[in-house]
Amino acid sequence: MDSFVPRPSLANGHRMTLYGWGNPRYFPRLPAPTLRYFDVEPDARLLARCHWHVRHWERPAIVLLHGLNASSEAHYMKGIAAKAFARGFNVIRLNQRNCGGTEGLSAGLFHSGLTADAKHVVEELVAVDGQTAICVAGYSLGGNLALKLAAEYGDAAPPALRAVAAVSPIIEIGECVRALERRENLLYQWNFVRDLKARMRRKDRHRPGAFDLSRLGAIRTVREFDDAYTAPHFGFKDAADYYDRASAMRIIDRIRVPALIITAEDDPFVPSRPFHDPKVTGNRWIDVRICAHGGHCGFVGPASGEDDGYWAEAQIVDFFQYAKSSTTEDTGKKTEVTAR
């Protein structure tokens, strides 16, 4: 397996993370998407941007899941899409509920462990579109969803689900939120909270009075937001209860499809400790790559020729290229790699 080598100027977790967030990227070879709506519940509709090949049912498909406050337009969503489409995959860039300007499409909110939406999309792609080989990849929150989805299926995953992948996944949400509350992570906390509050205000414009916004002004942390809105909306006792029950770590040992995890020791707010846990390292279906560098959802290495240097994106497509054409016995082999 390839090991990740960061660009020399980005061998720092904060620098890598901020570069990944702010560096503009362009994808001239990625064709314009077609829009697709998935009605996952009676009053919940998801918008996806899809890239289909001709006779798409004969091609494998990748479903992409973004992180908190991101959307189908996130640079890594387009980056994977461009690489995967060039390798013959159909690509479905999915917006989570209320993301990507879709606040008016769903009555309720979204949370970090709500796998039912992704499950519906996978099963609709099989039943309606005739897809026979599907892979699911997610970044950060989306990575938790991809792994938790596979774990919930356990031994009963649909034959079409060939593999999942996660980059910087928040598999132990409580630990990530605690890390986010450290002084050095104030910028990330502020950014997340600002976007969460803005989304609730947009939601109120579409669904006036559906949520009490009187507490919104006083919220300063993600935990406070989840205590006020996410946890009560979904019936959790509080934010701590939500974090515990929504984390893929609770059931990650049940994964029985090939799973790729990429994370970094220098991620500012996703601690690496859970990825060393025997529930992860002892599961022969999981290929875990704990890199010394990479930041949060960064993993930008030297660029060369047509290689833009976005290492994790290329690793996902390579992993899926193998998984889509391999038997269960071939792909269910333990291949832990510590990339330095």
Side-chain angles (χ1 to χ4, degrees):
M1 296 293 181
D2 292 341
S3 296
F4 174 62
V5 178
R7 291 185 188 176
S9 62
L10 300 178
N12 170 281
H14 291 292
R15 196 176 300 153
M16 178 73 80
T17 301
L18 294 172
Y19 181 89
W21 276 7
N23 181 55
R25 299 178 67 187
Y26 306 96
F27 307 95
R29 297 185 181 181
L30 183 63
T34 58
L35 300 185
R36 168 74 170 271
Y37 293 94
F38 293 89
D39 292 309
V40 295
E41 286 184 359
D43 201 359
R45 171 174 280 193
L46 307 184
L47 169 65
R49 289 179 166 82
C50 305
H51 306 274
W52 301 105
H53 285 274
V54 176
R55 299 181 64 85
H56 62 83
W57 56 90
E58 296 178 352
R59 306 275 190 153
I62 293 182
V63 176
L64 300 180
L65 307 175
H66 59 75
L68 180 66
N69 294 339
S71 73
S72 61
E73 294 295 290
H75 76 91
Y76 51 80
M77 299 280 275
K78 290 183 175 180
I80 298 174
K83 293 176 175 66
F85 190 82
R87 297 276 287 272
F89 287 85
N90 301 311
V91 181
I92 295 88
R93 294 189 279 130
L94 189 68
N95 285 291
Q96 314 290 358
R97 298 187 194 189
N98 305 307
C99 295
T102 66
E103 289 85 359
L105 297 183
S106 300
L109 304 180
F110 179 75
H111 74 75
S112 303
L114 187 60
T115 54
D117 289 357
K119 181 179 180 183
H120 177 102
V121 170
V122 168
E123 294 176 0
E124 183 172 321
L125 289 172
V126 173
V128 176
D129 299 278
Q131 297 293 155
T132 59
I134 299 173
C135 301
V136 179
Y139 272 51
S140 194
L141 177 154
N144 183 68
L145 288 171
L147 296 170
K148 187 167 178 278
L149 174 70
E152 288 173 350
Y153 275 127
D155 292 318
L161 182 62
R162 302 298 179 87
V164 298
V167 176
S168 304
I170 55 168
I171 63 172
E172 195 66 276
I173 303 171
E175 289 194 22
C176 297
V177 171
R178 282 192 293 275
L180 195 61
E181 292 166 345
R182 296 197 294 254
R183 182 183 297 272
E184 63 267 27
N185 289 329
L186 178 63
L187 175 63
Y188 308 120
Q189 178 94 269
W190 172 82
N191 184 68
F192 284 136
V193 172
R194 179 195 62 175
D195 288 350
L196 286 168
K197 292 164 78 169
R199 183 186 299 166
M200 290 301 294
R201 294 188 180 102
R202 291 193 298 270
K203 188 76 174 176
D204 190 64
R205 289 198 290 271
H206 289 282
R207 309 269 178 159
F211 297 93
D212 178 9
L213 301 190
S214 63
R215 300 175 62 183
L216 204 59
I219 289 173
R220 295 292 181 269
T221 68
V222 170
R223 186 187 304 275
E224 289 172 354
F225 179 89
D226 288 331
D227 264 327
Y229 294 102
T230 313
H233 180 73
F234 288 100
F236 297 109
K237 183 173 66 173
D238 53 21
D241 180 47
Y242 156 45
Y243 298 153
D244 183 67
R245 291 165 60 186
S247 296
M249 194 64 186
R250 301 287 79 75
I251 55 174
I252 201 166
D253 55 324
R254 302 179 194 172
I255 289 176
R256 294 296 182 271
V257 297
L260 172 66
I261 297 176
I262 295 173
T263 194
E265 295 280 7
D266 67 355
D267 189 313
F269 50 87
V270 177
S272 66
R273 184 202 63 80
F275 301 99
H276 294 279
D277 191 288
K279 290 177 68 176
V280 178
T281 61
N283 186 331
R284 72 185 184 92
W285 295 91
I286 300 176
D287 175 351
V288 58
R289 308 183 194 179
I290 306 171
C291 306
H293 303 287
H296 185 70
C297 298
F299 300 96
V300 184
S304 176
E306 294 187 359
D307 179 6
D308 61 3
Y310 284 78
W311 179 81
E313 296 172 3
Q315 295 301 299
I316 288 172
V317 178
D318 286 346
F319 186 78
F320 285 171
Q321 187 75 49
Y322 175 72
K324 72 162 179 74
S325 58
S326 301
T327 65
T328 299
E329 291 75 15
D330 290 335
T331 51
K333 295 178 181 177
K334 183 73 179 124
T335 53
E336 180 182 357
V337 175
T338 301
R340 294 292 176 185

